[in-house]
Amino acid sequence: MPLIVQKFGGTSVADTQKILGAARKAIRAAQSGNHVVVVVSAMGKTTDHLVSLAKEITDRPSHREMDMLLSSGEQVTIALMAMALESLGYKAVSMTGAQIGIKTDSSHTKARIRSISTNRMKNALDAGHIVIAAGFQGIDDDGNITTLGRGGSDTSAVALAAALNADQCEIYTDVDGVYTTDPRLLPEARKVTQISYDEMLELASLGAGVMHSRSIEFAKKFGVTVHVRSSFTDTAGSLIVASPESNSPVAGAAIAKNEARLTLVGVPDKPGNAMRLFARIAEAKIATDMIVQNIGQEGRTDISFTVPGNDLTATLDVLKTVSKEIEAKQVDYQENVAKVSVVGLGMETQGGVAEKMFRAVSRKMINISMITTSEIKISTLVTCDDALETLRAVHAEFQLEKSPTPFNSSSNSPKPSVSPNPAELSGTLPPTQQNQTKPIKPELDVARLSGMEDILIEAIHLDQTQARITMPNVPDKPGIAAEMFERIAEAGIVVDMIVQSCGRNGKAIITYTIPRTMLETALEITRKLANEWESDEPLYSSTVAILSVRGTGLRSHTGLAYRMFKTLADAGINVNVISTSESNISITVNSTQGEQGLQLFKKEFANEMM
Ligand code: ADP
Ligand code: ASP
Ligand code: MG
């Protein structure tokens, strides 16, 4: 019998009437001939309320007790949902994370799923029950209750769909699909019919709260097609799939409002320092983003990065010790900054996105204080006050409110999806049609993975075709990056990585990489600009090697970047520009050390290779 996993988020089970409504959806799926597993979140704002209760008692509650507390929210919902189903004449059984057999590691409040045993669920389904599973929670080897991190019920649902080899995974929420940006912030946002795993993963980790980013890691790894749709209507939602049907360069924009920027100023520029810094932060399980290391001047360099605002205190604690260890001159930080990003698979093949984005922001006279890019995203850091206007400007610039042009099979864009027409997904499909929605699973030897949520590395790559230019001391004011990358683009040069450091003393530093063959032309343009802006002579390296690791779970596994840095540091290889995304981490080093770095990475990551 086909199996369907349905997840209902907090708003969708906020009161008993809504729980009954969700129960009716589950019943409809059962009546259509499916086994049904329902995953639920805590009711409404219950989890927030529990967090504030803890805060009334202590600023630093033990993480174990937080998990004990927070997991209670989902336990209430599963019982009520089972009662709702029984009251409507259906057999149902509720199960906590432990009863399902969701085994996690012991990182309380941020636990990762190691394995799921499906026997008990399967027995209950075979006995004709609808299974109601508590989202967000699991159990560690010592029997302690753990939680997966805020928003983690999505991850429970997709992980269960993967473990049960479900035919459908539906995420019911308070919006009717995935939009080009948060529709509550920009009403002009457009619902997308399909989006790729890579784009959704990136958007989710950059602030699109509609899906927990780790749920998309599962979906991608195990080939689960996810259907995001409304709890309150029957309209078709959005499908998250391997290869979507559109080929526009930008799929969506995201905003992360509550971010903090930290800078270690005057770090001695030698191998191992970046490693030590990120090792300590990784140990504290803090996910960093927008890492920018300036090209060293006078033997010292500044390293900046962003963390979620909630992690600021913990990060400052870490930096207090580490800045002494690596003899940094000072720690500088800024709260209330926001990250506005655009994401799109098409960026890999179509240029022009960066300069368009920077120009859209500069037209609003908004200053971008940091920039980082990866192959499928561009992130800018602005003040919280400017964030919404930045998002609006960028969304309009890429005309995200309009439907993209249909997929053209003669272009070199991603292949068409194997998923069905989303229009067919309206309501619950009869079993025969449901089989069509079964995704084609990637060739993945799941048994080889020691843990379901472990990092999976697809490729390690060395690019020896690039050169690097650094422009120190450019004015830290609106329009600088736009001007620079427009001129470079006008000369037909395709820029790969871009990083701009946060301005200090009214000056910023911009570094970018380009094909070596274009170095002379790019230098000429950059020198002209340096002249106009009265900034310093550009620095360059005609021979940089870019080492990249591609895979799934790279950023949420905070230790990976650290292992890359450590591997290079142990071999005395100095790191220059760093670019991180969910599915790719690239590091530039001196090209004479590129081949050595590649071999070292292949050895270091041999166990995690697909
Ligand atoms: P649930 O409780 O069902 O898990 P969430 O509040 O976690 O729901 O996620 C749904 C919310 O995500 C929406 O109400 C919307 O405001 C927000 N959101 C952010 N970005 C997006 C986006 N790109 N598309 C749709 N919704 C988004
Ligand atoms: N109840 C948890 C939270 O509010 C998990 C979830 O809803 O996904 O974060
Ligand atoms: Mg959610």
Side-chain angles (χ1 to χ4, degrees), residues 168-172 225-229 236-240 425:
Q168 289 193 67
C169 179
E170 297 181 321
I171 304 290
Y172 285 95
T225 295
V226 178
H227 184 188
V228 181
R229 57 190 312 190
S238 309
L239 292 180
I240 308 172
L425 287 171

Side-chain angles (χ1 to χ4, degrees), residues 230-276:
S230 166
S231 283
F232 311 119
T233 69
D234 279 335
T235 50
S238 309
L239 292 180
I240 308 172
V241 297
S243 310
E245 283 165 354
S246 115
N247 63 350
S248 52
V250 176
I255 182 168
K257 268 200 243 152
N258 180 23
E259 295 280 293
R261 188 265 307 158
L262 297 108
T263 304
L264 270 181
V265 183
V267 179
D269 189 12
K270 58 180 188 206
N273 275 345
M275 181 274 286
R276 250 183 236 129

Side-chain angles (χ1 to χ4, degrees), residues 149-211:
R150 295 302 306 269
S153 294
D154 297 327
T155 295
S156 310
V158 181
L160 282 177
L164 290 161
N165 203 14
D167 297 80
Q168 289 193 67
C169 179
E170 297 181 321
I171 304 290
Y172 285 95
T173 182
D174 59 1
V175 274
D176 61 358
V178 176
Y179 280 68
T180 48
T181 197
D182 188 342
R184 292 188 205 283
L185 294 178
L186 292 192
E188 64 268 36
R190 175 179 48 85
K191 184 167 93 182
V192 302
T193 48
Q194 296 197 350
I195 188 163
S196 69
Y197 295 135
D198 284 326
E199 288 164 328
M200 191 65 237
L201 191 50
E202 213 64 65
L203 284 169
S205 97
L206 293 168
V210 63
M211 291 297 291

Side-chain angles (χ1 to χ4, degrees), residues 114-136:
R114 284 202 171 136
S115 63
I116 299 179
S117 52
T118 52
N119 289 349
R120 190 162 172 182
M121 273 185 295
K122 281 188 176 151
N123 289 341
L125 291 169
D126 288 341
H129 288 88
I130 291 177
V131 171
I132 318 296
F136 178 54

Side-chain angles (χ1 to χ4, degrees), residues 230-471:
S230 166
S231 283
F232 311 119
T233 69
D234 279 335
T235 50
S238 309
L239 292 180
I240 308 172
V241 297
S243 310
E245 283 165 354
S246 115
N247 63 350
S248 52
V250 176
I255 182 168
K257 268 200 243 152
N258 180 23
E259 295 280 293
R261 188 265 307 158
L262 297 108
T263 304
L264 270 181
V265 183
V267 179
D269 189 12
K270 58 180 188 206
N273 275 345
M275 181 274 286
R276 250 183 236 129
L277 167 63
F278 292 106
R280 298 287 177 271
I281 298 176
E283 278 159 16
K285 297 252 176 328
I286 298 167
T288 50
D289 192 27
M290 295 193 79
I291 301 172
V292 178
Q293 174 171 337
N294 292 335
I295 285 311
Q297 284 172 311
E298 289 151 23
R300 286 186 183 260
T301 166
D302 294 352
I303 304 178
S304 301
F305 55 92
T306 57
V307 297
N310 296 339
D311 285 330
L312 175 64
T313 320
T315 314
L316 282 172
D317 285 350
V318 174
L319 292 193
K320 222 185 249 169
T321 339
V322 86
S323 63
K324 279 192 202 115
E325 263 175 52
I326 65 178
E327 295 171 4
K329 282 191 174 155
Q330 88 190 61
V331 177
D332 182 42
Y333 70 92
Q334 187 183 5
E335 286 178 274
N336 299 323
V337 286
K339 188 164 64 183
V340 177
S341 313
V342 295
V343 170
L345 279 181
M347 263 183 231
E348 266 186 300
T349 47
Q350 303 173 40
V353 177
E355 61 269 21
K356 260 180 114 172
M357 178 177 189
F358 304 152
R359 180 54 73 197
V361 182
S362 80
R363 265 192 235 111
K364 301 285 172 197
M365 296 310 291
I366 292 171
N367 194 31
I368 301 173
S369 65
M370 263 168 94
I371 299 169
T372 53
T373 63
S374 80
E375 72 300 354
I376 68 160
K377 70 141 197 249
I378 298 167
S379 292
T380 56
L381 198 71
V382 296
T383 63
C384 269
D385 288 346
D386 287 335
L388 191 56
E389 209 182 340
T390 304
L391 181 70
R392 191 175 293 121
V394 169
H395 195 271
E397 182 69 28
F398 293 105
Q399 302 193 327
L400 294 180
E401 68 287 354
K402 292 189 189 151
S403 292
T405 44
F407 173 75
N408 170 4
S409 58
S410 64
S411 78
N412 58 357
S413 308
K415 293 201 184 70
S417 162
V418 294
S419 302
N421 179 347
E424 292 170 20
L425 287 171
S426 160
T428 303
L429 299 174
T432 47
Q433 270 180 290
Q434 278 167 7
N435 292 338
Q436 296 172 19
T437 70
K438 187 133 186 148
I440 294 175
K441 309 257 171 190
E443 291 295 314
L444 173 65
D445 181 2
V446 176
R448 258 192 58 214
L449 298 171
S450 56
M452 285 187 85
E453 238 186 309
D454 281 358
I455 308 177
L456 189 65
I457 292 179
E458 287 151 23
I460 298 174
H461 188 245
L462 169 67
D463 178 359
Q464 290 270 34
T465 64
Q466 298 275 304
R468 191 201 69 222
I469 297 184
T470 296
M471 238 182 132

